[in-house]
Amino acid sequence: MLLKDLQNIFHKELDTIYGKDEVDSFFYLCTEHYLNVPRIQLTLEPEFTIIKSETDTFFKTLEDLKQQKPIQYILGETEFYGLPFKVNDNVLIPRPETEELVDLIIKCHTERSRSAHENLKILDIGTGSGCIAISLAKNLPNAEVYALDISKEALKVAKQNAELNKVNINFIEASILDNTCHSALDAEFNFDVIVSNPPYVRNLEKQEIQPNVLDNEPHLALFVEDDNPLLFYKAITNFAIKKLNDKGNLYFEINQYLGEESKALLTDTEFENVELLKDLNGNDRMLKGKKL
Ligand code: GLN
Protein backbone atom coordinates (compact mmCIF):
# COMPACT_ATOMS: atom_id res chain seq x y z
CA MET A 1 0.00 0.00 0.00
CA LEU A 2 1.17 3.55 -0.66
CA LEU A 3 2.12 5.31 2.55
CA LYS A 4 0.42 8.48 1.35
CA ASP A 5 -2.88 6.60 0.84
CA LEU A 6 -2.60 5.37 4.39
CA GLN A 7 -2.03 8.93 5.55
CA ASN A 8 -5.23 10.00 3.79
CA ILE A 9 -7.14 7.24 5.59
CA PHE A 10 -5.75 8.47 8.94
CA HIS A 11 -7.00 11.97 8.13
CA LYS A 12 -10.40 10.76 6.98
CA GLU A 13 -10.95 8.71 10.11
CA LEU A 14 -9.31 10.89 12.76
CA ASP A 15 -9.42 14.58 11.79
CA THR A 16 -12.85 15.10 13.37
CA ILE A 17 -11.56 13.75 16.69
CA TYR A 18 -8.10 15.31 16.85
CA GLY A 19 -7.76 17.97 14.11
CA LYS A 20 -5.54 17.76 11.03
CA ASP A 21 -2.24 18.88 12.58
CA GLU A 22 -2.36 16.44 15.46
CA VAL A 23 -3.25 13.59 13.08
CA ASP A 24 -0.22 14.50 10.95
CA SER A 25 1.97 14.44 14.03
CA PHE A 26 0.57 10.99 15.06
CA PHE A 27 1.13 9.68 11.56
CA TYR A 28 4.76 10.81 11.42
CA LEU A 29 5.44 9.42 14.90
CA CYS A 30 4.16 6.09 13.55
CA THR A 31 6.26 6.18 10.37
CA GLU A 32 9.32 6.89 12.48
CA HIS A 33 8.50 4.27 15.08
CA TYR A 34 7.26 1.40 12.87
CA LEU A 35 9.18 2.01 9.65
CA ASN A 36 12.14 4.09 10.78
CA VAL A 37 11.16 6.51 8.05
CA PRO A 38 11.45 10.27 8.75
CA ARG A 39 8.59 12.53 7.67
CA ILE A 40 10.65 14.15 4.89
CA GLN A 41 10.71 10.76 3.13
CA LEU A 42 7.05 11.07 2.22
CA THR A 43 7.73 14.28 0.34
CA LEU A 44 10.89 12.97 -1.27
CA GLU A 45 9.38 9.66 -2.26
CA PRO A 46 5.61 10.02 -2.86
CA GLU A 47 5.39 6.43 -4.10
CA PHE A 48 6.79 5.00 -0.85
CA THR A 49 5.08 1.65 -0.41
CA ILE A 50 4.66 -0.56 2.66
CA ILE A 51 4.08 -4.28 2.96
CA LYS A 52 0.99 -6.05 4.34
CA SER A 53 2.27 -6.64 7.89
CA GLU A 54 3.22 -2.97 8.19
CA THR A 55 -0.18 -1.89 6.87
CA ASP A 56 -1.83 -4.09 9.50
CA THR A 57 0.16 -2.42 12.26
CA PHE A 58 -0.96 1.02 11.06
CA PHE A 59 -4.61 -0.09 10.95
CA LYS A 60 -4.37 -1.46 14.49
CA THR A 61 -2.94 1.89 15.61
CA LEU A 62 -5.72 3.71 13.78
CA GLU A 63 -8.29 1.70 15.76
CA ASP A 64 -6.54 2.49 19.06
CA LEU A 65 -6.42 6.18 18.19
CA LYS A 66 -10.13 6.14 17.38
CA GLN A 67 -10.69 4.77 20.90
CA GLN A 68 -8.69 7.80 22.19
CA LYS A 69 -5.84 5.68 23.46
CA PRO A 70 -2.83 7.98 23.93
CA ILE A 71 -0.24 7.64 21.18
CA GLN A 72 2.51 7.26 23.82
CA TYR A 73 0.84 4.09 25.17
CA ILE A 74 0.21 2.76 21.65
CA LEU A 75 3.86 3.16 20.68
CA GLY A 76 5.04 2.27 24.19
CA GLU A 77 7.45 5.16 24.30
CA THR A 78 7.77 8.91 24.58
CA GLU A 79 10.35 11.61 25.10
CA PHE A 80 10.97 13.60 28.28
CA TYR A 81 13.65 16.24 28.74
CA GLY A 82 15.21 15.07 25.45
CA LEU A 83 15.51 11.47 26.67
CA PRO A 84 13.64 8.34 25.56
CA PHE A 85 11.20 6.74 28.02
CA LYS A 86 9.18 3.52 27.79
CA VAL A 87 5.62 3.92 29.04
CA ASN A 88 2.61 1.69 29.59
CA ASP A 89 -0.66 2.16 31.40
CA ASN A 90 0.95 1.52 34.80
CA VAL A 91 2.67 4.91 34.63
CA LEU A 92 1.56 8.43 33.84
CA ILE A 93 2.68 9.82 30.52
CA PRO A 94 5.35 12.39 31.45
CA ARG A 95 4.04 15.96 31.13
CA PRO A 96 5.78 19.12 29.89
CA GLU A 97 5.10 20.79 33.28
CA THR A 98 7.25 18.13 34.89
CA GLU A 99 10.07 18.95 32.45
CA GLU A 100 9.92 22.47 33.85
CA LEU A 101 10.30 21.12 37.38
CA VAL A 102 13.30 19.02 36.34
CA ASP A 103 14.82 22.01 34.59
CA LEU A 104 14.44 24.12 37.74
CA ILE A 105 16.19 21.49 39.86
CA ILE A 106 19.03 21.05 37.36
CA LYS A 107 19.56 24.84 37.20
CA CYS A 108 19.61 25.14 40.99
CA HIS A 109 21.98 22.25 41.60
CA THR A 110 24.42 21.94 38.70
CA GLU A 111 27.11 24.06 40.32
CA ARG A 112 26.80 22.43 43.73
CA SER A 113 26.75 18.99 42.11
CA ARG A 114 29.97 19.71 40.20
CA SER A 115 31.89 21.09 43.14
CA ALA A 116 30.55 18.88 45.91
CA HIS A 117 33.01 16.66 47.71
CA GLU A 118 30.32 14.14 48.26
CA ASN A 119 27.61 12.95 45.90
CA LEU A 120 24.45 15.02 45.81
CA LYS A 121 21.83 12.67 47.26
CA ILE A 122 18.44 12.96 45.60
CA LEU A 123 15.18 11.18 46.36
CA ASP A 124 12.19 11.13 43.98
CA ILE A 125 8.96 10.08 45.69
CA GLY A 126 6.32 8.46 43.43
CA THR A 127 8.66 8.03 40.51
CA GLY A 128 6.25 6.38 38.03
CA SER A 129 8.09 6.02 34.71
CA GLY A 130 11.20 7.35 36.47
CA CYS A 131 11.22 10.47 34.31
CA ILE A 132 12.23 12.89 37.09
CA ALA A 133 14.83 10.63 38.74
CA ILE A 134 16.42 9.58 35.45
CA SER A 135 16.63 12.99 33.85
CA LEU A 136 18.20 14.37 37.06
CA ALA A 137 20.70 11.49 37.19
CA LYS A 138 21.55 12.08 33.55
CA ASN A 139 22.06 15.83 33.91
CA LEU A 140 23.54 16.34 37.37
CA PRO A 141 27.11 15.16 37.64
CA ASN A 142 27.77 13.28 40.88
CA ALA A 143 24.12 12.78 41.71
CA GLU A 144 23.25 9.68 43.68
CA VAL A 145 19.59 9.13 42.95
CA TYR A 146 16.97 7.15 44.86
CA ALA A 147 13.46 6.65 43.51
CA LEU A 148 10.47 5.29 45.34
CA ASP A 149 7.08 4.05 44.21
CA ILE A 150 4.27 2.01 45.71
CA SER A 151 3.58 0.27 42.39
CA LYS A 152 5.65 -2.78 41.47
CA GLU A 153 4.48 -2.44 37.88
CA ALA A 154 5.55 1.19 37.70
CA LEU A 155 8.96 0.29 39.14
CA LYS A 156 9.41 -2.29 36.37
CA VAL A 157 8.95 0.45 33.79
CA ALA A 158 11.23 2.84 35.69
CA LYS A 159 13.99 0.20 35.88
CA GLN A 160 13.80 -0.37 32.13
CA ASN A 161 14.07 3.37 31.61
CA ALA A 162 17.12 3.64 33.84
CA GLU A 163 18.79 0.95 31.74
CA LEU A 164 17.69 2.54 28.50
CA ASN A 165 19.24 5.84 29.59
CA LYS A 166 22.29 4.20 31.16
CA VAL A 167 21.94 5.66 34.63
CA ASN A 168 22.17 4.01 37.99
CA ILE A 169 19.14 4.60 40.23
CA ASN A 170 18.37 2.97 43.57
CA PHE A 171 14.74 1.90 43.31
CA ILE A 172 12.61 1.29 46.39
CA GLU A 173 9.14 -0.24 46.55
CA ALA A 174 7.36 1.55 49.38
CA SER A 175 4.55 3.92 50.24
CA ILE A 176 5.13 7.41 51.59
CA LEU A 177 1.83 7.11 53.46
CA ASP A 178 2.95 4.39 55.85
CA ASN A 179 6.17 3.42 57.54
CA THR A 180 7.33 1.02 54.77
CA CYS A 181 8.99 4.10 53.43
CA HIS A 182 10.67 5.00 56.71
CA SER A 183 12.02 1.50 57.18
CA ALA A 184 13.19 1.26 53.56
CA LEU A 185 15.03 4.55 53.86
CA ASP A 186 16.19 4.31 57.43
CA ALA A 187 19.76 4.58 56.21
CA GLU A 188 22.55 6.52 57.86
CA PHE A 189 22.36 9.35 55.41
CA ASN A 190 19.94 12.18 54.64
CA PHE A 191 19.13 13.71 51.28
CA ASP A 192 20.18 17.00 49.71
CA VAL A 193 17.16 17.11 47.43
CA ILE A 194 13.73 15.54 47.76
CA VAL A 195 11.36 15.89 44.82
CA SER A 196 7.86 14.65 44.16
CA ASN A 197 5.04 14.87 41.64
CA PRO A 198 2.44 12.98 43.69
CA PRO A 199 -1.24 12.45 42.82
CA TYR A 200 -2.98 15.81 43.13
CA VAL A 201 -6.11 15.93 40.96
CA ARG A 202 -9.27 16.14 43.08
CA ASN A 203 -12.28 14.04 42.12
CA LEU A 204 -14.18 17.30 41.74
CA GLU A 205 -11.77 18.26 38.94
CA LYS A 206 -12.54 15.08 36.99
CA GLN A 207 -14.79 16.91 34.57
CA GLU A 208 -11.79 19.02 33.48
CA ILE A 209 -9.74 15.94 32.65
CA GLN A 210 -9.66 14.83 29.02
CA PRO A 211 -11.34 11.45 28.35
CA ASN A 212 -8.11 10.05 26.89
CA VAL A 213 -6.42 10.73 30.27
CA LEU A 214 -9.36 9.57 32.38
CA ASP A 215 -9.86 6.30 30.50
CA ASN A 216 -6.24 5.31 30.08
CA GLU A 217 -3.87 6.71 32.69
CA PRO A 218 -3.47 5.13 36.14
CA HIS A 219 -5.88 6.74 38.61
CA LEU A 220 -3.55 5.72 41.44
CA ALA A 221 -1.06 8.28 40.12
CA LEU A 222 -3.59 11.04 39.47
CA PHE A 223 -6.43 11.33 41.94
CA VAL A 224 -6.91 12.32 45.55
CA GLU A 225 -10.00 12.69 47.70
CA ASP A 226 -11.70 16.09 47.67
CA ASP A 227 -11.61 16.35 51.47
CA ASN A 228 -7.88 15.72 51.85
CA PRO A 229 -6.21 16.70 48.58
CA LEU A 230 -2.82 17.48 50.11
CA LEU A 231 -2.34 14.19 51.93
CA PHE A 232 0.74 13.26 49.91
CA TYR A 233 2.19 16.75 50.32
CA LYS A 234 1.72 16.59 54.09
CA ALA A 235 3.34 13.14 54.35
CA ILE A 236 6.24 14.13 52.10
CA THR A 237 6.82 17.41 53.94
CA ASN A 238 6.95 15.58 57.29
CA PHE A 239 9.28 13.00 55.81
CA ALA A 240 11.48 15.75 54.34
CA ILE A 241 11.74 17.51 57.72
CA LYS A 242 13.39 14.35 59.03
CA LYS A 243 15.29 13.18 56.00
CA LEU A 244 16.60 16.36 54.37
CA ASN A 245 20.00 17.68 55.30
CA ASP A 246 20.06 21.20 56.73
CA LYS A 247 19.72 23.60 53.77
CA GLY A 248 18.49 20.67 51.68
CA ASN A 249 15.80 21.44 49.11
CA LEU A 250 12.29 20.14 48.68
CA TYR A 251 10.60 20.43 45.27
CA PHE A 252 6.99 19.66 44.40
CA GLU A 253 4.83 19.68 41.33
CA ILE A 254 1.47 20.93 42.59
CA ASN A 255 -2.20 21.31 41.76
CA GLN A 256 -2.61 24.76 40.19
CA TYR A 257 -5.72 25.46 42.30
CA LEU A 258 -4.00 24.66 45.59
CA GLY A 259 -0.92 26.87 45.32
CA GLU A 260 -1.32 28.86 48.52
CA GLU A 261 -2.41 25.87 50.64
CA SER A 262 0.54 23.85 49.38
CA LYS A 263 2.93 26.71 50.03
CA ALA A 264 1.61 27.08 53.59
CA LEU A 265 2.66 23.50 54.35
CA LEU A 266 6.27 24.61 53.92
CA THR A 267 6.12 28.14 55.31
CA ASP A 268 4.30 26.87 58.43
CA THR A 269 7.01 24.31 59.14
CA GLU A 270 10.77 24.13 58.92
CA PHE A 271 11.40 25.67 55.51
CA GLU A 272 12.70 29.02 54.29
CA ASN A 273 13.02 30.67 50.86
CA VAL A 274 9.70 29.08 49.93
CA GLU A 275 8.76 29.92 46.34
CA LEU A 276 5.64 29.16 44.36
CA LEU A 277 6.44 29.12 40.64
CA LYS A 278 4.26 29.10 37.53
CA ASP A 279 4.46 26.76 34.55
CA LEU A 280 4.58 27.92 30.91
CA ASN A 281 0.78 28.19 30.90
CA GLY A 282 0.91 30.67 33.77
CA ASN A 283 -0.51 28.25 36.36
CA ASP A 284 0.92 27.75 39.86
CA ARG A 285 2.76 24.48 39.31
CA MET A 286 6.03 24.25 41.24
CA LEU A 287 6.90 24.72 44.85
CA LYS A 288 10.37 24.95 46.26
CA GLY A 289 11.66 25.33 49.81
CA LYS A 290 14.92 25.09 51.71
CA LYS A 291 15.05 23.28 55.01
CA LEU A 292 16.09 25.52 57.88
N1 GLN B 1 -0.56 17.05 35.62
C1 GLN B 1 -1.28 15.82 35.60
C2 GLN B 1 -2.62 15.99 34.90
O1 GLN B 1 -3.20 17.04 34.95
C3 GLN B 1 -1.50 15.31 37.01
C4 GLN B 1 -0.29 14.78 37.61
C5 GLN B 1 -0.46 14.38 39.04
O2 GLN B 1 -1.55 14.15 39.57
N2 GLN B 1 0.63 14.33 39.70
O3 GLN B 1 -3.10 15.08 34.28
Side-chain angles (χ1 to χ4, degrees):
M1 181 172 194
L2 285 183
L3 195 55
K4 78 171 185 269
D5 289 342
L6 192 56
Q7 187 176 25
N8 288 334
I9 296 174
F10 264 55
H11 280 302
K12 198 166 140 270
E13 301 272 339
L14 299 172
D15 281 7
T16 50
I17 313 176
Y18 295 104
K20 192 173 180 316
D21 290 349
E22 196 160 4
V23 174
D24 266 330
S25 107
F26 291 158
F27 189 76
Y28 293 125
L29 279 172
C30 292
T31 62
E32 278 169 21
H33 183 83
Y34 297 133
L35 309 171
N36 210 6
V37 163
R39 63 182 297 171
I40 184 78
Q41 199 69 28
L42 261 152
T43 321
L44 297 177
E45 208 181 323
E47 298 304 304
F48 193 97
T49 310
I50 58 173
I51 59 172
K52 169 90 174 56
S53 61
E54 292 166 339
T55 312
D56 290 348
T57 308
F58 273 84
F59 276 109
K60 167 86 182 65
T61 299
L62 179 61
E63 279 315 305
D64 285 344
L65 285 169
K66 271 199 218 163
Q67 306 296 324
Q68 308 240 12
K69 188 166 174 188
I71 188 77
Q72 296 90 337
Y73 288 154
I74 300 173
L75 303 180
E77 65 178 29
T78 188
E79 209 183 85
F80 178 87
Y81 211 74
L83 300 170
F85 282 86
K86 301 266 176 219
V87 287
N88 63 29
D89 58 10
N90 292 299
V91 300
L92 279 190
I93 296 165
R95 307 285 204 269
E97 303 88 279
T98 312
E99 291 182 307
E100 292 186 60
L101 178 71
V102 164
D103 200 54
L104 172 73
I105 301 174
I106 292 171
K107 291 214 169 90
C108 293
H109 293 276
T110 298
E111 213 166 298
R112 159 84 215 281
S113 175
R114 269 205 201 106
S115 62
H117 298 298
E118 281 186 31
N119 288 341
L120 188 73
K121 292 199 176 57
I122 301 177
L123 172 66
D124 174 24
I125 298 177
T127 198
S129 64
C131 63
I132 296 177
I134 292 165
S135 46
L136 292 178
K138 197 80 189 165
N139 288 284
L140 286 172
N142 303 322
E144 183 176 323
V145 183
Y146 293 73
L148 177 152
D149 208 287
I150 191 177
S151 159
K152 217 188 258 311
E153 295 305 317
L155 285 172
K156 267 191 210 160
V157 177
K159 281 177 190 163
Q160 277 184 18
N161 284 327
E163 264 172 46
L164 179 66
N165 286 293
K166 302 189 172 52
V167 289
N168 191 19
I169 310 272
N170 306 284
F171 288 107
I172 301 150
E173 184 186 333
S175 163
I176 190 67
L177 297 181
D178 61 35
N179 49 26
T180 53
C181 161
H182 295 262
S183 44
L185 282 166
D186 197 18
E188 301 289 282
F189 60 87
N190 278 2
F191 295 95
D192 302 297
V193 172
I194 294 180
V195 53
S196 185
N197 173 20
Y200 60 65
V201 181
R202 288 171 293 180
N203 287 317
L204 64 89
E205 289 157 25
K206 265 192 182 149
Q207 75 267 20
E208 286 178 34
I209 303 279
Q210 299 294 328
N212 57 348
V213 173
L214 208 54
D215 297 343
N216 293 282
E217 300 205 60
H219 288 198
L220 179 69
L222 283 173
F223 293 108
V224 285
E225 295 301 324
D226 294 345
D227 60 359
N228 193 12
L230 296 181
L231 90 157
F232 289 100
Y233 294 84
K234 290 174 191 160
I236 294 165
T237 303
N238 286 334
F239 180 82
I241 289 170
K242 283 188 236 124
K243 293 295 289 178
L244 267 180
N245 286 325
D246 292 345
K247 310 283 171 211
N249 284 282
L250 176 58
Y251 295 90
F252 280 127
E253 182 176 317
I254 61 156
N255 182 320
Q256 67 195 78
Y257 306 117
L258 300 172
E260 289 307 324
E261 294 91 319
S262 307
K263 185 177 175 188
L265 288 177
L266 304 197
T267 47
D268 290 352
T269 55
E270 295 173 34
F271 290 89
E272 60 181 358
N273 301 349
V274 178
E275 284 177 70
L276 186 57
L277 300 154
K278 292 191 192 302
D279 63 19
L280 280 176
N281 297 318
N283 295 319
D284 285 338
R285 187 66 65 201
M286 290 161 279
L287 183 62
K288 173 185 172 191
K290 190 187 277 293
K291 199 183 144 201
L292 286 170

